[in-house]
Amino acid sequence: LAKTTQPISMDSYEGQEVNITCSHNNIATNDYITWYQQFPSQGPRFIIQGYKTKVTNEVASLFIPADRKSSTLSLPRVSLSDTAVYYCLVGDKDGANNLFFGTGTRLTVIP
Amino acid sequence: EAGVVQSPRYKIIEKKQPVAFWCNPISGHNTLYWYLQNLGQGPELLIRYENEEAVDDSQLPKDRFSAERLKGVDSTLKIQPAELGDSAVYLCASSPHRGRYNEQFFGPGTRLTVL
């Protein structure tokens, strides 16, 4: 089981780029890296998923180095509405390891 | 497109009472998940369905929890009897893909309070 380690919390000013790093030293060959965002009183929302190098969508970018032992979620020019908890998940899409969200990173965007 | 629907949104019961939660996934999504989320923690998977088959229920406390998805569409999660420690948010999610780590679409959850 590839466990993940994330910072418990981060603060950022509005308009800045925010990078949240997730460590997953035991990532397996078939594992993907997935990030979710959760606002208070809502269910998590899928942000981005990747396997290697860089993935970008309209919301965020995901950077994965060659050794894949860590990954960085990058949120460009955050706004107050980006205040949320961000979860990094690592696992095989069809495999037998448990689906584990962990405690996530609580991002607070400051005006 | 309608999202995942859960009801009720809130439920308060006394301990030892039974309780049931209902989930209607996004149309066409064959995979359905039930999670439990405690305050300050991430969601914990209870059970995963592929159509009507429970393919991943190792985390479901089977002595008091049960779930069903009889026609492979909506699903019900039941607790009987409820204990104080069951107070949490119960989340339902669905996905058009099989497997655990594909994109999931979550409902708003049911907040259960056991007194």
Side-chain angles (χ1 to χ4, degrees):
Chain A
L1 174 63
K3 288 192 175 182
T4 60
T5 303
Q6 304 175 233
I8 293 174
S9 64
M10 296 179 66
D11 293 337
S12 176
Y13 287 102
E14 219 175 353
Q16 290 188 330
E17 178 184 73
V18 171
N19 296 310
I20 305 175
T21 298
C22 180
S23 296
H24 29 81
N25 291 319
N26 296 324
I27 190 168
T29 302
N30 294 330
D31 285 346
Y32 282 72
I33 300 153
T34 310
W35 286 82
Y36 280 83
Q37 172 192 57
Q38 187 174 26
F39 299 113
S41 300
Q42 294 186 25
R45 182 175 73 105
F46 174 92
I47 301 176
I48 198 166
Q49 184 179 70
Y51 183 80
K52 62 180 180 180
T53 61
K54 177 183 175 182
V55 180
T56 298
N57 61 23
E58 65 278 6
V59 177
S61 295
L62 179 59
F63 297 93
I64 306 168
D67 66 5
R68 304 200 326 124
K69 293 184 183 299
S70 66
S71 58
T72 300
L73 175 73
S74 181
L75 305 172
R77 297 180 299 282
V78 293
S79 64
L80 298 177
S81 63
D82 292 316
T83 294
V85 178
Y86 292 82
Y87 296 97
C88 167
L89 285 71
V90 173
D92 182 344
K93 286 189 178 185
D94 299 309
N97 51 325
N98 286 330
L99 189 58
F100 183 67
F101 273 77
T103 55
T105 297
R106 182 174 300 277
L107 172 66
T108 303
V109 180
I110 306 166
Chain B
E1 178 182 293
V4 175
V5 178
Q6 290 188 248
S7 69
R9 290 295 314 277
Y10 304 91
K11 188 73 176 180
I12 301 174
I13 61 172
E14 293 188 347
K15 63 181 181 182
K16 300 185 180 179
Q17 294 299 308
V19 64
F21 314 121
W22 178 79
C23 172
N24 193 32
I26 294 172
S27 177
H29 284 196
N30 295 326
T31 305
L32 184 146
Y33 309 77
W34 281 103
Y35 291 86
L36 174 157
Q37 184 170 26
N38 288 305
L39 188 64
Q41 303 295 316
E44 301 171 29
L45 180 67
L46 291 172
I47 190 168
R48 174 170 66 104
Y49 282 93
E50 299 286 355
N51 298 303
E52 66 276 6
E53 181 183 2
V55 296
D56 187 356
D57 64 354
S58 58
Q59 304 290 83
L60 189 72
K62 298 181 181 63
D63 56 337
R64 297 184 301 108
F65 286 64
S66 64
E68 61 182 15
R69 193 184 185 199
L70 295 176
K71 297 182 179 179
V73 180
D74 58 340
S75 175
T76 302
L77 177 69
K78 298 178 182 178
I79 308 175
Q80 183 171 11
E83 297 179 352
L84 295 177
D86 296 331
S87 294
V89 175
Y90 291 83
L91 294 162
C92 178
S94 69
S95 174
H97 310 291
R98 298 174 65 89
R100 300 176 184 225
Y101 280 89
N102 289 292
E103 179 178 358
Q104 299 177 39
F105 298 80
F106 283 81
T110 297
R111 181 176 297 277
L112 173 67
T113 301
V114 182
L115 303 176

